[in-house]
């Protein structure tokens, strides 16, 4: 399979399939979000969010099995729309541990920044429902040691 990897350009899709609200983003909003979540976002993540505050990706795949990160949630403080700041509520609803920042979920699969061990340099983790268990359980798969490593894995 010939993969076209993300190499620092055209991260966000300019032709999204879904209409979305364009929330403003700036350093103050990012700092406020980090304070609320008690984390420090990776600098490459901040740079991408300043380019466009969430949305669909041009390079959505991150494994040879074509696991996808179709979009990243925006950063905003509105209560009636999902945001990265909705992470705590989403995790509680799914009975997942705190210390994760949800980049994307469809509630069966999750892609998160994992801050449980490290507040400065999160790993990137894929969480999926384990349907082979009699109990409702989640399987955690570390995708990358850092957000930068994760970006280097993205392809289309």
């Amino acid at each position: 399979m010939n993969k076209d990897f993300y190499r620092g350009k055209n991260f966000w899709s300019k032709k999204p399939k879904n209409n979305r609200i364009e929330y403003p983003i700036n350093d103050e909003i990012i700092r406020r979000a980090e304070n609320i979540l008690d984390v420090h976002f990776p600098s490459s993540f901040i740079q991408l969010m300043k380019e466009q505050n969430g949305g669909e990706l041009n390079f959505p795949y991150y494994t040879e099995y074509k696991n996808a990160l179709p979009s990243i949630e925006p950063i905003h403080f509105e209560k009636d729309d999902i945001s990265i700041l909705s992470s705590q509520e989403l995790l509680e609803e799914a009975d997942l541990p705190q210390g994760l920042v949800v980049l994307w979920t469809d509630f069966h699969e999750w892609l998160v920044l994992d801050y449980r061990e490290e507040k400065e340099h999160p790993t990137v983790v894929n969480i999926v429902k384990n349907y082979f268990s009699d109990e409702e359980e989640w399987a955690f798969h570390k995708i990358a040691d850092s957000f930068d490593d994760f970006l280097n894995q993205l392809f289309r």
Side-chain angles (χ1 to χ4, degrees), residues 37-49:
L37 295 169
D38 191 28
V39 301
H40 292 286
F41 293 129
S43 59
S44 53
F45 177 77
I46 291 171
Q47 180 182 350
L48 289 170
M49 295 304 276

Side-chain angles (χ1 to χ4, degrees), residues 39-127:
V39 301
H40 292 286
F41 293 129
S43 59
S44 53
F45 177 77
I46 291 171
Q47 180 182 350
L48 289 170
M49 295 304 276
K50 284 181 173 181
E51 187 180 309
Q52 179 177 304
N53 189 5
E56 295 175 24
L57 280 57
N58 263 334
F59 300 85
Y61 303 110
Y62 58 89
T63 70
E64 61 195 57
Y65 307 108
K66 290 214 167 181
N67 291 56
L69 172 63
S71 63
I72 292 179
E73 298 298 342
I75 298 172
H76 66 78
F77 304 98
E78 303 297 323
K79 296 288 185 202
D80 60 345
D81 192 14
I82 291 180
S83 155
I84 283 175
L85 293 169
S86 307
S87 293
Q88 183 177 353
E89 294 85 14
L90 295 172
L91 295 167
E92 284 174 5
E93 187 177 324
D95 199 26
L96 285 164
Q98 294 299 310
L100 308 172
V101 173
V102 179
L103 298 177
W104 173 86
T105 185
D106 65 1
F107 292 94
H108 301 284
E109 184 173 356
W110 304 67
L111 197 75
V112 301
L113 296 175
D114 187 348
Y115 286 94
R116 293 177 296 169
E117 300 291 325
E118 172 68 52
K119 294 288 186 201
E120 301 270 335
H121 307 286
T123 57
V124 179
V125 174
N126 172 264
I127 306 169

